[in-house]
Amino acid sequence: MKIDFIADTNFLIYLHEGNEIVKPFLNYNFGISFISEVELLGFKNITKKEEIELKSLISDCFSIDWNTKIKEKTIELRRKYNLKLPDSIIAATSIVYSFPLVTADKQFSKIEELDLIVIEL
């Protein structure tokens, strides 16, 4: 499968909610970091219906698992930019595989190494 970009967790949330902001990206193939799956399914008050819908959404994505290269880049990014661990993992995944990251989180813009596409709400 060809991947055109990495979708940040907030992109997936907007997609799940039917937010029009992600519509231009739906003609492309996107991957997700395993940490986005953890974030989506780890919400404390998630309903069974939401869990089923999110699992279906996740199954349609190419999920990239944790590996040594991502781990090393995550450590480097955390040290350099003082990011939250999930954000560091998602950014590292994008950088390691040379895919742009699509997100609404402007916090990522400080990462010089990242090919970033910020969606505006």
Side-chain angles (χ1 to χ4, degrees), residues 8-24:
D8 188 17
T9 306
N10 57 42
F11 178 97
L12 299 169
I13 291 169
Y14 300 145
L15 181 59
H16 172 68
E17 293 173 344
N19 190 320
E20 293 288 316
I21 196 79
V22 297
K23 197 172 185 177

Side-chain angles (χ1 to χ4, degrees), residues 3-116:
I3 296 176
D4 297 304
F5 64 90
I6 298 295
D8 188 17
T9 306
N10 57 42
F11 178 97
L12 299 169
I13 291 169
Y14 300 145
L15 181 59
H16 172 68
E17 293 173 344
N19 190 320
E20 293 288 316
I21 196 79
V22 297
K23 197 172 185 177
F25 298 94
L26 298 183
N27 292 327
Y28 298 94
N29 296 317
F30 54 91
I32 62 170
S33 168
F34 74 94
I35 200 71
S36 291
E37 183 175 350
V38 172
E39 287 183 311
L40 286 173
L41 298 175
F43 285 119
K44 183 177 181 182
N45 295 323
I46 190 171
T47 66
K48 193 65 179 167
K49 180 179 183 279
E50 288 171 325
E51 181 181 358
I52 291 166
E53 291 171 352
L54 288 169
K55 282 183 176 180
S56 175
L57 170 63
I58 291 165
S59 72
D60 289 338
C61 301
F62 183 83
S63 184
I64 300 173
D65 286 325
W66 187 242
N67 62 46
T68 301
K69 287 182 179 181
I70 293 173
K71 178 172 50 174
E72 290 169 356
K73 182 56 78 174
T74 298
I75 292 166
E76 179 186 318
L77 293 174
R78 292 237 328 140
R79 286 181 179 166
K80 187 172 180 181
Y81 297 105
N82 193 30
L83 300 166
K84 296 176 196 167
L85 182 58
D87 288 349
S88 297
I89 293 170
I90 291 167
T93 302
S94 180
I95 292 167
V96 165
Y97 290 100
S98 300
F99 297 127
L101 175 65
V102 176
T103 183
D105 187 346
K106 291 182 176 75
Q107 181 79 1
F108 285 104
S109 60
K110 65 183 176 182
I111 305 172
E112 300 162 359
E113 306 90 328
L114 191 58
D115 182 1
L116 185 66

